[in-house]
Amino acid sequence: MRARTMVSVAVAGCVALVATACGPDKTKDDSDAKAPAASEASEPSASAEVEKPSTAPSPSAPSEKPSALPAGDQPAPKTKEGAIERYEVYLHAVGREDIDTVCEVAGPAAEKGEAEGVGPCSTAFLAMFQMISPEQKEALKTATVDPQGVAVIAPDKVEIPAEAVRASVTFSDSELGRRTMGYLKDEWFITD
């Protein structure tokens, strides 16, 4: 139990620090950011109904890797649901060890961490991936967020605590932290 607590603290620390080490680079090509709905799996399917054109995968997007960016030039929805969908993209990317998507979504927070000496996002998250158990990674690949547990702080700021994450493994704040999603440059990012 003590080892798990230490790993949890280390993972939470890495997530917080790494989340501040990556910049919002909008050149990554993923299609998962605009999942059809928070209650559905975040991996879009051809038969899934899409509420907005920007939620469909772009024709050039690889089918095996979902997108962290909206398709086309459409801005992401500036809603609680949009923030939840984006955070689910992040959780799934952590489970897959998809460093590009993780650093894309955690960009603004990661920049803060890098400025504080944590190092670049990719380095910090690669270390964090090693501290997450295989069971936790599998759980994160399909994790969802319960909208009831999400707090809207402002129209462009949403707070998602670990308790709101629904997965086959229970995560605590010491493991996932309490993430603040901010709406910047027409997309949701982890800002704190």
Side-chain angles (χ1 to χ4, degrees), residues 156-180:
D156 62 347
K157 191 182 244 186
V158 173
E159 187 175 77
I160 304 175
E163 311 73 78
V165 175
R166 299 293 175 248
S168 59
V169 172
T170 301
F171 291 93
S172 67
D173 273 346
S174 66
E175 294 169 313
L176 286 181
R178 184 174 286 273
R179 298 288 145 232
T180 301

Side-chain angles (χ1 to χ4, degrees), residues 38-135:
S39 62
E40 295 180 30
S42 290
E43 296 179 31
S45 68
S47 64
E49 288 189 31
V50 180
E51 293 180 31
K52 295 181 87 177
S54 67
T55 62
S58 66
S60 63
S63 60
E64 71 277 352
K65 187 175 178 186
S67 176
L69 300 174
D73 294 328
Q74 297 291 334
K78 191 174 180 181
T79 62
K80 175 178 167 179
E81 292 75 21
I84 289 170
E85 289 175 12
R86 181 74 159 175
Y87 188 63
E88 287 175 350
V89 166
Y90 165 81
L91 293 174
H92 300 167
V94 171
R96 292 188 318 268
E97 295 187 18
D98 177 355
I99 195 72
D100 292 336
T101 301
V102 167
C103 288
E104 158 64 23
V105 176
E111 284 178 351
K112 292 177 189 174
E114 189 168 5
E116 294 172 4
V118 174
C121 181
S122 57
T123 303
F125 266 108
L126 288 175
M128 184 200 72
F129 291 155
Q130 302 306 312
M131 293 185 267
I132 302 172
S133 74
E135 181 183 24

